[in-house]
Every structure is written in C-alpha cells, then in structure tokens.
C-alpha cells in the first residue's frame, strides 16, 4: 500500500545494520519511517506489532528478506537474535526510528 507500508527491496533498513530489523521483529515499530528517501506512515501511522516468532524463525525471515527482493546483505543468525532478545528482555514498548538510529 503506497505510503503506508515501505518496500523491502533496496531498503536501507533491510540491507543495513542487522540489529535494527531484529529489534523491529522482536518488539515492533511505532511511528513513521523513511525508506530510500521516501516517508511512510506519516499522518496516522499503523504500528508494526512484535512478530511473536522465536529466535530461529526471526533469523530465517530476516536472512531470506536480506538475500531476496534485490537485496544482498549478510545472513542473520539465531544467536544474534537471542543476544538482542536477552539485552532488551525488559522492553515492553514498540521501537521508534529515533531509538533505532540513536545507537548508530
């Protein structure tokens, strides 16, 4: 859906640092996001809920997306997901883009 859901193809969020999409799938995402210079979810953004997937499934999904749709990024391991799940085990809120980019 145009301007609501951002594309996966060529997305800097998909192809960049693994931690951001792992965090998004673990805890969800709230607020607008910019992909390839285009804003998505402005006005009345639809939040992305946590995936509810286990560590291996999150790794599998992200590895697939990072290697398809014209993307060419390294695989994600279940250990990488597990590490971030443990690090943020007390988090109960959806991530925001400012939070995800603060660590960079």
């Amino acid at each position: 859906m145009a301007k609501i859901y951002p594309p996966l193809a060529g997305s800097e969020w998909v192809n960049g640092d693994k931690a951001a999409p792992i965090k998004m799938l673990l805890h969800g995402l709230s607020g607008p996001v910019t992909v390839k210079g285009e804003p998505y979810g402005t006005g009345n953004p639809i939040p992305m809920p946590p995936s509810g997937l286990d560590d291996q499934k999150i790794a599998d999904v992200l590895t697939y997306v990072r290697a398809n749709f014209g993307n060419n990024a390294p695989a994600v391991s279940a250990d990488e997901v597990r590490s971030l799940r443990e690090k943020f085990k007390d988090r109960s809120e959806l991530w925001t883009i400012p939070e995800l980019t603060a660590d960079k």
Side-chain angles (χ1 to χ4, degrees):
M1 295 178 68
K3 298 299 179 186
I4 296 176
Y5 299 112
L8 296 174
S11 167
E12 60 271 30
W13 294 100
V14 171
N15 291 296
D17 178 33
K18 297 175 186 182
I22 292 170
K23 290 175 180 178
M24 289 178 196
L25 287 182
L26 285 172
H27 300 104
L29 180 66
S30 177
V33 62
T34 299
V35 175
K36 300 189 319 186
E38 294 292 323
Y40 291 86
T42 58
N44 191 15
I46 300 170
M48 181 183 110
S51 69
L53 300 174
D54 66 33
D55 298 340
Q56 186 62 58
K57 288 180 181 169
I58 288 175
D60 292 345
V61 166
L62 289 177
T63 295
Y64 178 81
V65 171
R66 288 167 60 91
N68 289 281
F69 311 107
N71 299 317
N72 187 21
V76 174
S77 73
D79 287 338
E80 290 170 310
V81 177
R82 191 172 301 109
S83 175
L84 286 172
R85 185 185 298 274
E86 179 60 27
K87 182 176 180 178
F88 297 103
K89 66 183 175 189
D90 295 327
R91 186 175 184 89
S92 60
E93 297 179 9
L94 304 176
W95 289 101
T96 64
I97 293 303
E99 290 175 311
L100 291 174
T101 57
D103 291 341
K104 292 183 177 181

